[in-house]
Amino acid sequence: RKEVEQDPGPFNVPEGATVAFNCTYSNSASQSFFWYRQDCRKEPKLLMSVYSSGNEDGRFTAQLNRASQYISLLIRDSKLSDSATYLCVVIDYNQGGKLIFGQGTELSVKP
Amino acid sequence: NAGVTQTPKFQVLKTGQSMTLQCAQDMNHNSMYWYRQDPGMGLRLIYYSASEGTTDKGEVPNGYNVSRLNKREFSLRLESAAPSQTSVYFCASSEDRGTEAFFGQGTRLTVV
């Protein structure tokens, strides 16, 4: 089983839709969590950190469920510019603080 | 502020050739990483360096070597390139282990 798993998609949604991505992780000792965004043929860029209490940044909401070992990303009122691949990242300090990436979920927002 | 800079951006090698991918960061970060990205595989960690003077293997280290030359620079060397090493390589850095990472623009390597 992969350490971090995501539904690869693609998710095809119309503009204005709400879309949610989930990510599961296998190591219960994982201690930090992030969502990254990657545009086609570009480098990944940090979208937001994920805190235990959940956090929101504009149209984006991230949540963490430690008991079930998953994190989620909710995008409201999707824009064409949200089209990208969204990467779930988990850090386990017991493994030297390495960043472990999921394979990414592709989102395509259509007019 | 350049952030993380990788060179070269593109490279074509013949099987058996060697080359070094260069990476430098100007954010005074302690930790640096090398990843490769292949279709359907996500980013896989090759090597990382938690601090100057230390390096550790990641998920896919075979066929690669690294050098943490100083705090700014972390190079990745392919001693004898193989077609299986055709990939996009990303260097990244973070302030400390366990904090968010910032990525370079990537090196697209093709081994023929």
Side-chain angles (χ1 to χ4, degrees):
Chain A
R1 181 185 172 189
K2 290 183 181 178
E3 286 195 69
V4 181
E5 294 202 61
Q6 296 180 249
D7 181 343
F11 284 54
N12 296 305
V13 303
E15 264 188 301
T18 295
V19 61
F21 307 135
N22 287 327
C23 167
T24 59
Y25 59 96
S26 60
N27 189 343
S28 59
S30 299
Q31 296 170 355
S32 293
F33 308 89
F34 304 95
W35 283 101
Y36 276 70
R37 171 191 169 129
Q38 186 175 27
D39 293 288
C40 186
R41 301 177 70 79
K42 298 283 185 67
E43 73 274 22
K45 293 185 178 179
L46 178 67
L47 178 66
M48 59 197 303
S49 303
V50 186
Y51 304 122
S52 296
S53 55
N55 49 301
E56 188 173 310
D57 182 3
R59 297 182 293 109
F60 298 84
T61 300
Q63 292 193 314
L64 167 64
N65 185 320
R66 285 190 183 273
S68 301
Q69 295 181 208
Y70 78 83
I71 68 173
S72 64
L73 177 68
L74 183 76
I75 305 175
R76 291 181 298 279
D77 188 23
S78 299
K79 311 290 185 191
L80 297 177
S81 57
D82 293 334
S83 297
T85 296
Y86 291 84
L87 301 163
C88 169
V89 181
V90 169
I91 297 176
D92 176 9
Y93 297 161
N94 294 333
Q95 292 190 54
K98 295 182 293 186
L99 284 79
I100 302 168
F101 283 78
Q103 71 268 46
T105 298
E106 184 182 347
L107 172 65
S108 179
V109 182
K110 307 291 188 184
Chain B
N1 188 348
V4 180
T5 303
Q6 288 182 237
T7 55
K9 288 188 169 49
F10 301 93
Q11 183 71 50
V12 178
L13 290 178
K14 294 182 179 179
T15 297
Q17 285 185 317
S18 62
M19 79 162 294
T20 300
L21 281 63
Q22 307 287 351
C23 175
Q25 52 90 9
D26 62 3
M27 296 175 281
N28 201 36
H29 284 172
N30 290 309
S31 298
M32 297 186 75
Y33 313 83
W34 276 106
Y35 289 88
R36 61 176 289 174
Q37 187 173 34
D38 303 290
M41 301 291 289
L43 284 103
R44 292 183 293 169
L45 183 63
I46 305 171
Y47 271 93
Y48 70 106
S49 170
S51 61
E52 185 179 354
T54 67
T55 60
D56 287 285
K57 295 179 180 179
E59 183 184 353
V60 288
N62 291 344
Y64 305 95
N65 286 301
V66 290
S67 294
R68 183 74 183 268
L69 303 169
N70 47 55
K71 192 171 186 179
R72 289 187 65 246
E73 298 173 287
F74 189 38
S75 62
L76 179 71
R77 183 161 178 82
L78 287 71
E79 290 290 352
S80 178
S84 60
Q85 294 178 305
T86 293
S87 188
V88 180
Y89 291 84
F90 288 104
C91 176
S93 71
S94 63
E95 185 171 357
D96 282 299
R97 62 189 184 98
T99 59
E100 64 265 30
F102 298 84
F103 283 79
Q105 291 182 309
T107 296
R108 283 168 175 73
L109 175 67
T110 302
V111 183
V112 297

